Structures are given as C-alpha cells and as structure tokens.
Amino acid sequence: MKQHKPMKYYFYTYGCQMNVRDSEIIATLLQDNGYEETNSPQAADLILLNTCSVRHSAENKIYGKLGEINLLKRNNPELIVALGGCMAQLLDCRQRLKKIGVDVLFGTHNLHEVPYLVSKARETGKKVWQVWDEEGMVIEEYPTNRKTGLSAFVNIMYGCNNFCSYCIVPYTRGRERSRRPENIINEIKQLAEQGCREVTLLGQNVNSYGKTNNQDKDFADLLGLVNDIDGIERIRFTTSHPQDMSDKLIEAIAVNPKVCEHVHVPLQAGSNRILQKMNRKYTREHYLELVRKMRERIPGIAITSDLIVGFPGESDEDFRDTMDMVNKVRFDAAFTFLYSPRQGTRAAELTDQIPIEVKKSRLNELMTVQYQIARDINTSLEGSIQEVFVEGPSKTNVEKLMARTRTNRIVIISAAKDLIGQIIHVRITEGKTFSLMGDVVL
Ligand code: SAH
Ligand code: SF4
Ligand code: F3S
C-alpha cells in the first residue's frame, strides 16, 4: 500500500475562550483524520485561522495575517488555507475574503465539517466554502477527548440572545442554546479521569444557562453538580451578565467549595443613559447593589469587568459616570475597549459617533485609573498567604513557575517543576499591576 506522509496543520486562533475551545475541537477532529500539528507555518500543508469580529482591530489583524500567509502560498501552491469562526459568519467579511486566497471557509456552526471540507478542497483543487447561516441543534457528537492538561474549557451553552446594541456576537454565534446537564457532567468526569483538575465553564452569558431550553437545572444547580465531581478541584466560569446574576447564584458560589471566588461581570459603561442605549437592561444602582451583595456573601471575591469608552453619544458627563463607577467598585481588573462600530449592529447606525481623539483620551484616563486601582489592590495583598494552583512555567521567565490564586491572580514563584499541577500555599512578596510575586510556604 502506498504510504502517505501525514498532513501537517498550523492553527492561528483569535478572539475569546469560545474560539480557543472550538480550535481544540477542530484540532482533535483533524488528528482523528490523520493530520499532525506543526509549530511552524512554513512547514504546514494546511493553515487554519479561527477568527474574531468583535472589534475592527481584531479583523484587521487577521487580514494582515492573511497577507503574510499568501506569501507562503506563493512558495507552496499546495498549501490549503482554511478560515473559520466569527468573521466567516458575516457577509461583509465574506465579500472581502472572496478576493483573498482562502481555500476553505467554515462558520461557527459547522466545525465538524472541517476535515471533510479540507479534503474536498484538496481533491478538487477548488475553493470549498460552507457556512451555516443558522445554528442547528446543539451538536453533542463533537469529540470531547483532547490533549488534556490540568485545566480545560467546557462549553455549557452557545450563542447569545441579549443583542447589546454594540455587539456582533449574536450575529456570529446565533441564538442562545444550552447543553444538557448530563452531557456537561459526563464531559467533565471524563476530563477529571484524564487528570484535569480545573474547569472553566464557558458561555456568552452563563447566568442564563438552561433558560431557553426550559431545562429544570439552572446555572446555580449546574455549579453544584460540577462541584460533586471527584478529581476536579477548581471551578471557574465566564461570562456573567449583571442582569441575570441571581441571589441563588451568589449563594451557589458561596457554598460550593470548589467554585473560585472570581466573577467576570462586565459593567460596560457607568452612565444609565448609555447603558440603556447599549440595551444592557440594568442600571448603575443595580450593579452597585450586586457588588455589595457579592462582597458581603463572598468575602475577598474578585470582581472583574469589561468597559467600553466612546459609545455613540457618550458625553463628558457620561464618561465621568464610568470613571465614578470604576472608583466606587474598584475592579480587581478590567479589560478596556474603544467602541468599534460593527456593521449590522444597531449602534453602528447611530449618527453621533465619537471622534477617535476623544475616545483615545478617555481610554487613556480610564486605563491609568484602573491600573492604579489594580496595583493598589495587589500591593495590599503583600504578606498574605494565598492558595494557588501551579499551572506551569512562567511565560516571561522560564526559570520560574506560574501559579494562580482562587481569585484569578497570577503569582510568579520560584519552585521545583514537580509542583506543577499541585495546589499549594504561597506568601505574597510583591504586588504589581497584572501579577504578584510569591514564595512557597512549606
Ligand atoms: N458575552 C460576553 C463577551 C462579549 S465580547 C459579555 O457579554 O460580556 C467581550 C467584550 O468585548 C464585551 O464585554 C465588550 O466589552 C467588548 N465589545 C463587544 N463589542 C464591542 C464593540 N463593538 N466595540 C468595543 N468593544 C466591544
Ligand atoms: Fe455581546 Fe451582550 Fe451577548 Fe455579551 S451579552 S455576547 S456583549 S450581545
Ligand atoms: Fe470574537 Fe466571536 Fe468570541 S467575535 S470575542 S471570537 S464570539
């Protein structure tokens, strides 16, 4: 029989944790079909890009990368370029991608077809573009086996029904649908058997888990079920929506010992007028009350946020309201963004867009204050003892290890490599803006 050399693939993944998990699924499918991963794009027979459309800058980066890949294609005409993910779902992106050498196009709803689409492109020498514009049922036949590390992402739901007026995600990911609890639990049990110790439950809005499917288990119930799985030591989840964060959920975080004391609950803006125009469905007063309840019931909980500046019509006063909330809440960390108009969303149609210089100066002010708050909170932890999970070598200093507190803070420690995968205690020696330094406590 003729021996074929295994085809090699290289993966570029952009965007959020959903995409990281989707790329993992595609990689597993490719491996099951005889492909091997390579760590060099030059050595690849297949280059995949899993794309993000959340902001203009994300798309631009990807178009830039496609330019580079096209140069590789000149030297290697056999090279197949497959692009999928959120950009593939959008008509305006598809128009532009038509002019670029993308051989295979797949969307967010048909990941399982990737090996088939690639082999079809290879056999026919033609472009194979297949995107499902509508989400189908929740697909449970995806492989759940993966290169299990110590930590894994687990989807609990797909899509989003919130239609925040700035956001493209409901258009790229379809309507909200939840996986059955038993399928989630079985996947996590399997992960635990393979040595995984931490899971992050993923959804655009995990707090509304189960609602659209009329399931009898809500997100708080699901946390309890995951908490009972032997071998899993830490449970995280993202993202939470302030509108759906119930008292029952706060209680579940408080009483389930494996659920970590961290919530990512994006505020987006501090002005009620802007929140309303964003279709966020809560007020600053509601948010402050939520923070109060969470801090009272779960002492030491870390609260992190996403914040957008320069939403259409944002006045100086509206921006002051955002700064005021940042100073009142004192987020442990926040991702800060310049508003980016996305074609097809309601906010992109608004006429009172904010000039870029104003947006940038607001972002600068916000970042300066938020970073100072994060630094102050982190320095206040100096001398404290923290429980950390040792994840692996530090990315910035290979001599050191990277560990994470229950509150999602990175701690850089000097310790022997055999501590990787262990939960240990460290004393914090220094607090910085984005990380802590610590010593192992024996
Ligand atoms: N489902 C999550 C994440 C959505 S995307 C949530 O609801 O929080 C991640 C973040 O990107 C959002 O929280 C928002 O802050 C930001 N974002 C989304 N669309 C944006 C846009 N058009 N311009 C700037 N930031 C945006
Ligand atoms: Fe986008 Fe809002 Fe849905 Fe988050 S909740 S994905 S910001 S529409
Ligand atoms: Fe980006 Fe799609 Fe995630 S737009 S943020 S990759 S859902």
Side-chain angles (χ1 to χ4, degrees), residues 160 162-164 166-167 169-170 204 241 268 280:
C160 182
N162 283 315
F163 289 94
C164 302
Y166 50 80
C167 185
V169 172
Q204 295 297 346
H241 193 300
Q268 309 297 3
R280 289 292 287 179

Short mmCIF file of all heavy atoms in Angstrom, two decimals, residues 160 162-164 166-167 169-170 204 241 268 280, ligand 2:
data_model
loop_
_atom_site.label_atom_id
_atom_site.label_comp_id
_atom_site.label_asym_id
_atom_site.label_seq_id
_atom_site.Cartn_x
_atom_site.Cartn_y
_atom_site.Cartn_z
N CYS A 160 -26.05 33.82 21.89
CA CYS A 160 -26.46 34.89 22.79
C CYS A 160 -27.75 35.52 22.30
O CYS A 160 -27.92 35.73 21.10
CB CYS A 160 -25.36 35.95 22.86
SG CYS A 160 -25.79 37.27 24.01
N ASN A 162 -28.92 38.42 23.86
CA ASN A 162 -29.03 39.73 24.51
C ASN A 162 -29.04 40.91 23.56
O ASN A 162 -29.59 41.96 23.88
CB ASN A 162 -27.91 39.90 25.54
CG ASN A 162 -28.22 39.12 26.79
OD1 ASN A 162 -29.33 39.17 27.29
ND2 ASN A 162 -27.25 38.37 27.27
N PHE A 163 -28.39 40.78 22.43
CA PHE A 163 -28.35 41.87 21.46
C PHE A 163 -27.99 43.21 22.10
O PHE A 163 -28.70 44.21 21.92
CB PHE A 163 -29.67 41.98 20.68
CG PHE A 163 -29.87 40.84 19.72
CD1 PHE A 163 -30.59 39.72 20.09
CD2 PHE A 163 -29.31 40.89 18.45
CE1 PHE A 163 -30.75 38.64 19.22
CE2 PHE A 163 -29.47 39.82 17.57
CZ PHE A 163 -30.19 38.71 17.95
N CYS A 164 -26.90 43.26 22.83
CA CYS A 164 -26.37 44.55 23.26
C CYS A 164 -26.11 45.32 21.95
O CYS A 164 -25.61 44.73 20.98
CB CYS A 164 -25.08 44.35 24.05
SG CYS A 164 -25.34 43.29 25.48
N TYR A 166 -24.09 47.29 20.63
CA TYR A 166 -22.77 47.45 20.01
C TYR A 166 -22.21 46.13 19.49
O TYR A 166 -21.20 46.10 18.79
CB TYR A 166 -21.76 48.02 21.04
CG TYR A 166 -21.78 47.25 22.34
CD1 TYR A 166 -21.10 46.05 22.48
CD2 TYR A 166 -22.52 47.70 23.43
CE1 TYR A 166 -21.16 45.32 23.65
CE2 TYR A 166 -22.59 46.97 24.61
CZ TYR A 166 -21.90 45.79 24.71
OH TYR A 166 -21.98 45.06 25.85
N CYS A 167 -22.85 45.00 19.83
CA CYS A 167 -22.13 43.71 19.79
C CYS A 167 -22.51 42.84 18.59
O CYS A 167 -23.69 42.65 18.27
CB CYS A 167 -22.41 42.95 21.08
SG CYS A 167 -21.48 41.43 21.20
N VAL A 169 -21.65 39.60 18.38
CA VAL A 169 -21.65 38.17 18.75
C VAL A 169 -22.99 37.46 18.47
O VAL A 169 -22.99 36.35 17.93
CB VAL A 169 -21.19 37.98 20.22
CG1 VAL A 169 -21.38 36.55 20.69
CG2 VAL A 169 -19.74 38.41 20.38
N PRO A 170 -24.15 38.06 18.79
CA PRO A 170 -25.40 37.35 18.48
C PRO A 170 -25.55 37.01 17.00
O PRO A 170 -26.25 36.06 16.64
CB PRO A 170 -26.49 38.32 18.93
CG PRO A 170 -25.82 39.17 19.97
CD PRO A 170 -24.40 39.32 19.50
N GLN A 204 -21.58 32.83 26.56
CA GLN A 204 -21.59 34.29 26.45
C GLN A 204 -22.28 34.91 27.66
O GLN A 204 -22.02 36.04 28.02
CB GLN A 204 -22.29 34.76 25.17
CG GLN A 204 -21.59 34.35 23.89
CD GLN A 204 -20.22 34.94 23.75
OE1 GLN A 204 -19.84 35.86 24.45
NE2 GLN A 204 -19.44 34.41 22.83
N HIS A 241 -23.60 38.07 33.23
CA HIS A 241 -24.29 39.31 32.85
C HIS A 241 -24.94 39.87 34.11
O HIS A 241 -25.66 39.15 34.80
CB HIS A 241 -25.35 38.99 31.79
CG HIS A 241 -25.89 40.21 31.11
ND1 HIS A 241 -26.54 41.20 31.79
CD2 HIS A 241 -25.86 40.60 29.81
CE1 HIS A 241 -26.90 42.16 30.95
NE2 HIS A 241 -26.49 41.81 29.74
N GLN A 268 -19.52 47.50 31.35
CA GLN A 268 -19.52 48.16 30.01
C GLN A 268 -19.52 49.68 30.10
O GLN A 268 -18.71 50.33 29.45
CB GLN A 268 -20.68 47.70 29.12
CG GLN A 268 -20.85 46.20 28.97
CD GLN A 268 -19.71 45.46 28.31
OE1 GLN A 268 -18.69 46.04 27.97
NE2 GLN A 268 -19.85 44.15 28.14
N ARG A 280 -28.37 47.18 27.75
CA ARG A 280 -27.80 46.31 28.78
C ARG A 280 -28.82 45.90 29.85
O ARG A 280 -28.56 45.02 30.67
CB ARG A 280 -26.57 46.96 29.43
CG ARG A 280 -25.36 47.03 28.52
CD ARG A 280 -24.78 45.66 28.23
NE ARG A 280 -24.07 45.09 29.36
CZ ARG A 280 -23.50 43.89 29.33
NH1 ARG A 280 -23.56 43.13 28.24
NH2 ARG A 280 -22.86 43.42 30.38
FE1 SF4 B 2 -22.47 40.60 23.15
FE2 SF4 B 2 -24.10 41.45 25.02
FE3 SF4 B 2 -24.27 38.93 24.17
FE4 SF4 B 2 -22.17 39.70 25.60
S1 SF4 B 2 -24.29 39.64 26.32
S2 SF4 B 2 -22.14 38.48 23.73
S3 SF4 B 2 -21.85 41.81 24.96
S4 SF4 B 2 -24.71 40.77 22.97
#
